[in-house]
Amino acid sequence: PPGITTGLFYGYNRGYFIADTLIPGEGYWIRTSQDGKLALDASSPATAFKRTMRTEFTDRLAAANVIRVGDHAGNMASLYYLGTTESDDSSTAGYLFELPPTPPGGEFDARFASRRMLETVGEGLTREIPILISSPRYPVSLRWEIQSLSTTAVLSVGRRTFPLRENGSAEITGDDVPVLLTLTGSADLPRSFALDQNYPNPFNPVTVIRYSLPGDALVTLKIFDILGREIKTLVNEGQGAGYISREWDGRNESGV
């Protein structure tokens, strides 16, 4: 009917994907604002609008930072985030980036708790967004690819935290490890060099050491025992500005 709002077509193959071709005998999912009739007409205004939607979808994902979630079986899902000055309630935003319902039990899936594949945050605002991972085969890998620092983002994996200022990765080896993405709507760079208290402290056997860089710098981070003896060098390299954390596992270090 006139005025119906629809999203994009999704298929499923080890994770949802945007379908540009409908194959006979296959199943697809599409969100609509009301019941309607599906008409495949390449010359219709609705089809032209759908092409416009797809262009908007592609352009926004191309500008976004991405977190790729993969498991040992080769399943993969991509989640995106960016800062924006636009309202997140535009006429097509919800339909463009909302994923289909969670697959049946036993099928891999990864998504934001909002059911969207892309999340945004306005300037000066902060959002905490859980990432839900269903039916993975462990270990699960998290890889992030950073294109823009217009948004401050921190990924929490259990008790570990990773400021997303450069490409990196983390691994999950078992169940019950919460994953949370925290977004702040502007890049908030440190104003001074700082070395924070490690957490947890005391620890057994893993702790996280966080530090801040207001600009690019050559960083050396070393571990010493209580007698002042050097145990390990964790970092000895040039790094960019931002909030950075390094994990240290002391179980295999002699003299600790």
Side-chain angles (χ1 to χ4, degrees), residues 168-238:
S169 63
E171 187 175 86
I172 304 173
T173 57
D175 292 320
D176 300 323
V177 178
V179 182
L180 179 73
L181 178 67
T182 302
L183 300 179
T184 302
S186 62
D188 181 18
L189 294 178
R191 297 184 179 182
S192 61
F193 292 96
L195 177 63
D196 297 337
Q197 175 67 58
N198 62 299
Y199 177 84
N201 183 29
F203 64 93
N204 184 21
V206 178
T207 190
V208 175
I209 302 170
R210 301 183 180 92
Y211 53 96
S212 306
L213 305 176
D216 295 350
L218 176 62
V219 177
T220 301
L221 181 63
K222 296 183 177 183
I223 304 295
F224 294 84
D225 67 13
I226 196 171
L227 298 178
R229 296 174 299 191
E230 183 177 330
I231 300 299
K232 188 177 184 64
T233 298
L234 290 182
V235 179
N236 187 23
E237 63 185 12

Side-chain angles (χ1 to χ4, degrees), residues 37-249:
K37 181 178 180 180
L38 177 64
L40 301 180
D41 182 354
S43 63
S44 73
T47 302
F49 177 67
K50 187 70 70 178
R51 284 195 291 266
T52 300
M53 286 177 61
R54 188 176 180 88
T55 299
E56 179 185 348
F57 176 90
T58 302
D59 289 349
R60 294 194 76 178
L61 290 195
N65 300 314
V66 58
I67 301 172
R68 304 196 190 278
V69 184
D71 74 353
H72 188 65
N75 299 304
M76 178 69 69
S78 297
L79 305 176
Y80 302 83
Y81 69 89
L82 49 76
T84 180
T85 57
E86 304 172 1
S87 168
D88 201 34
D89 298 323
S90 65
S91 59
T92 59
Y95 288 85
L96 276 177
F97 301 107
E98 183 171 335
L99 287 167
T102 305
E107 296 294 332
F108 172 83
D109 184 73
R111 62 182 62 202
F112 293 117
S114 60
R115 291 180 50 177
R116 289 162 56 92
M117 68 163 60
L118 178 140
E119 287 293 354
T120 62
V121 62
E123 185 174 353
L125 301 178
T126 297
R127 298 184 61 198
E128 292 187 344
I129 310 162
I131 294 175
L132 307 180
I133 305 173
S134 304
S135 304
R137 290 187 58 186
Y138 292 99
V140 168
S141 65
L142 302 170
R143 295 186 294 108
W144 46 93
E145 301 165 13
I146 307 303
Q147 299 193 84
S148 170
L149 294 178
S150 62
T151 303
T152 299
V154 176
L155 186 68
S156 300
V157 183
R159 295 187 299 177
R160 296 175 291 165
T161 59
F162 302 91
L164 305 187
R165 300 199 56 81
E166 58 186 6
N167 295 352
S169 63
E171 187 175 86
I172 304 173
T173 57
D175 292 320
D176 300 323
V177 178
V179 182
L180 179 73
L181 178 67
T182 302
L183 300 179
T184 302
S186 62
D188 181 18
L189 294 178
R191 297 184 179 182
S192 61
F193 292 96
L195 177 63
D196 297 337
Q197 175 67 58
N198 62 299
Y199 177 84
N201 183 29
F203 64 93
N204 184 21
V206 178
T207 190
V208 175
I209 302 170
R210 301 183 180 92
Y211 53 96
S212 306
L213 305 176
D216 295 350
L218 176 62
V219 177
T220 301
L221 181 63
K222 296 183 177 183
I223 304 295
F224 294 84
D225 67 13
I226 196 171
L227 298 178
R229 296 174 299 191
E230 183 177 330
I231 300 299
K232 188 177 184 64
T233 298
L234 290 182
V235 179
N236 187 23
E237 63 185 12
Q239 295 184 328
Y243 300 95
I244 303 171
S245 64
R246 286 293 183 269
E247 182 179 274
W248 180 55
D249 187 340

